[in-house]
Amino acid sequence: SSLKSMCNLYQSTTENNVSIIVIRINGIFFVFRGALKFHIRAFELAIRDLSKAASIDSACPLAYFNRAVCYQEFKDYQKVRI
């Protein structure tokens, strides 16, 4: 159920009656994955995921906050403020 809240599933049928399922991943998926990477101290990978989350949903405060925490681990205080 929680995976469904992170993704939008779309199903369509081609003219040959082939069923296609398209998955659109929401930003919160990358927030959670970034948090997991932070937990294992893979900060650069976490920053990448959290930046992706922010690009998908620019109004997601968790993406920005968690990314700032990762930058703080590198003592990159300029980026913490961004």
Side-chain angles (χ1 to χ4, degrees), residues 30 33-34 37 42-55 67 70-71:
F30 290 99
R33 196 169 81 170
K37 290 177 181 176
F43 301 120
E44 289 180 22
L45 297 174
I47 289 169
R48 209 175 298 162
D49 278 349
L50 295 164
S51 295
K52 180 72 175 175
S55 73
R67 186 174 65 181
C70 290
Y71 283 131

Side-chain angles (χ1 to χ4, degrees), residues 10-22:
Y10 302 97
Q11 184 172 3
S12 66
T13 306
T14 66
E15 52 189 63
N16 298 330
N17 282 336
V18 175
S19 201
I20 298 173
I21 297 176
V22 177

Side-chain angles (χ1 to χ4, degrees), residues 4-82:
K4 286 184 180 180
S5 67
M6 290 186 258
C7 306
N8 292 324
L9 301 175
Y10 302 97
Q11 184 172 3
S12 66
T13 306
T14 66
E15 52 189 63
N16 298 330
N17 282 336
V18 175
S19 201
I20 298 173
I21 297 176
V22 177
I23 301 172
R24 192 178 130 248
I25 298 175
N26 296 332
I28 199 69
F29 170 84
F30 290 99
V31 170
F32 286 129
R33 196 169 81 170
L36 290 171
K37 290 177 181 176
F38 175 86
H39 183 70
I40 63 169
R41 303 189 63 76
F43 301 120
E44 289 180 22
L45 297 174
I47 289 169
R48 209 175 298 162
D49 278 349
L50 295 164
S51 295
K52 180 72 175 175
S55 73
I56 292 172
D57 182 2
S58 62
C60 180
L62 281 175
Y64 295 106
F65 176 81
N66 290 343
R67 186 174 65 181
V69 171
C70 290
Y71 283 131
Q72 188 174 6
E73 289 293 321
F74 289 124
K75 299 190 183 343
D76 191 344
Y77 300 113
Q78 276 297 91
K79 291 184 179 173
V80 168
R81 294 177 33 216
I82 297 174

